[in-house]
Amino acid sequence: MPGGPLATGATVLRAGVQSTVQDAGRRARALGVPAGGAADPVARRLANALVGNAADAAGLEVTLGGPTVLFHEAALVSLCGAPFDATLDGVSFPLWRAVPVQAGQTLTVGGTARGLRAFLAVRGGLHGHEVFGSRATDLRAGFGGLEGRALRPGDHLTWAPLPARAARRAFIAPDLHTPTGPHHELRMLGTGDLTDDLRAALLDRPFTVSPQADRMGARLSESVAAPRDPARPSLPNVPGLLQLPPDGRPILLLPDAGTHGGYPTPLVVIRADLPRLGQLRPGDTLTLREVSRQDARAAHLAQERALRPAEWSLAL
């Protein structure tokens, strides 16, 4: 909620480039509502696990440059994702750790040279406006989180009370971190829109992430010949789909993308690689590689077999 310094919670002194309350997202696509939620779900899950939260608890997603926050009460916090520079009262703040913060201390999240986003978790989970079962901020629709918008200076953050927990010397293996570029290889599944011509044009070649990249999608700079079908109906979209608009510059859809669209969607990112979309930064390069459905299932199972034991061990 907005407001000045209070005796509890924390006050936003500097908002950052785009800092929003996010959680695991909502399940209301049948109503035309995007899923939303943290663009890097691995960072969300591990940050929450480090402070003893449920995996879907709400926290702050910081983008490119983070906020400065003054804490009015003690808290246990963690920051996971891209390698942002961060300090607590001017002392280096470690990522991928649970760190106790005392009342009166100031956490400053600066910028990052690689990747785009990180997730800041506070033990108890941030409060926010809940819509369709989620506190995730939908910037386009203007709901969820803090009045459906990014943070502003003076905003007051609060979180649910949980019994105090000592910071554990937990170590998150680097191979669990979402890769942050600057080059990405995304594993893709073909859809019914994938023709031989599109396969040759899109796969195993370099693309560049354009400046037109936000929580709805990341447009690529290079163009390919896009098929045109004026009679094509509007079909459901999901995060990870690759759209081909008429200008031929592919768009990779992110969590806030609309639920339906009429552009061809010849490829979709496999589930195990969806977190990488949240770290695509303008100027990064990427290649698309087609894999089988069996390979996609195996990659997802391998990812969960690595993540779940880490979450369970942190919960003990």
Side-chain angles (χ1 to χ4, degrees):
M1 71 180 78
L6 301 178
T8 61
T11 298
V12 177
L13 304 181
R14 178 174 59 88
V17 175
Q18 186 182 84
S19 305
T20 58
V21 174
Q22 299 293 341
D23 56 16
R26 46 186 59 88
R27 298 183 179 182
R29 297 187 64 82
L31 301 176
V33 179
D40 182 349
V42 168
R44 166 184 54 78
R45 288 170 61 177
L46 292 175
N48 275 322
L50 280 164
V51 298
N53 286 345
D56 60 354
L60 280 185
E61 180 179 86
V62 302
T63 304
L64 195 59
T68 298
V69 180
L70 171 63
F71 284 76
H72 304 297
E73 62 177 305
L76 186 65
V77 304
S78 63
L79 181 65
C80 296
F84 281 80
D85 295 322
T87 60
L88 184 63
D89 282 352
V91 178
S92 180
F93 181 94
L95 275 66
W96 304 99
R97 297 284 192 276
V99 181
V101 177
Q102 303 305 317
Q105 289 192 298
T106 299
L107 174 64
T108 299
V109 182
T112 177
R114 299 193 323 276
L116 191 63
R117 296 180 175 91
F119 190 87
L120 178 68
V122 181
R123 179 164 171 78
L126 291 183
H127 290 142
H129 183 212
E130 188 169 307
V131 179
F132 295 115
S134 169
R135 295 170 181 171
T137 305
D138 187 318
L139 293 170
R140 186 181 186 189
F143 58 64
L146 274 74
E147 302 176 349
R149 57 170 173 79
L151 295 191
R152 296 173 183 164
D155 282 341
H156 192 69
L157 304 174
T158 59
W159 47 88
L162 284 181
R165 169 174 167 168
R168 301 178 59 187
R169 295 183 178 275
F171 174 75
I172 301 293
D175 60 359
L176 293 180
H177 303 181
T178 302
T180 53
H183 179 73
H184 307 262
E185 181 181 82
L186 299 177
R187 291 169 290 183
M188 314 292 290
L189 293 173
T191 74
D193 288 337
L194 184 62
T195 63
D196 288 342
D197 287 344
L198 287 177
R199 181 177 277 111
L202 292 167
L203 296 171
D204 303 314
R205 54 157 291 184
F207 285 98
T208 307
V209 180
S210 81
Q212 295 173 280
D214 57 20
R215 284 187 44 85
M216 292 184 64
R219 185 183 290 266
L220 306 183
S221 295
E222 295 78 13
S223 62
V224 300
R228 303 194 181 197
D229 180 5
R232 179 185 173 88
S234 180
L235 298 172
N237 285 333
V238 295
L241 273 176
L242 182 141
Q243 283 188 335
L244 269 184
D247 68 1
R249 295 172 59 202
I251 302 170
L252 287 162
L253 300 187
L254 267 72
D256 286 357
T259 58
H260 289 75
Y263 298 147
T265 52
L267 294 166
V268 62
V269 178
I270 70 169
R271 187 170 181 180
D273 284 357
L274 286 176
R276 299 193 68 152
L277 297 181
Q279 298 298 349
L280 293 179
R281 180 188 181 107
D284 282 359
T285 59
L286 61 87
T287 56
L288 311 175
R289 178 168 64 89
E290 187 177 11
V291 298
S292 69
R293 279 161 174 74
Q294 181 178 0
D295 288 341
R297 286 192 296 270
H300 175 59
L301 288 174
Q303 184 181 62
E304 289 300 312
R305 289 191 185 110
L307 284 171
R308 291 187 182 185
E311 292 176 302
W312 293 334
S313 66
L314 291 168
L316 297 176

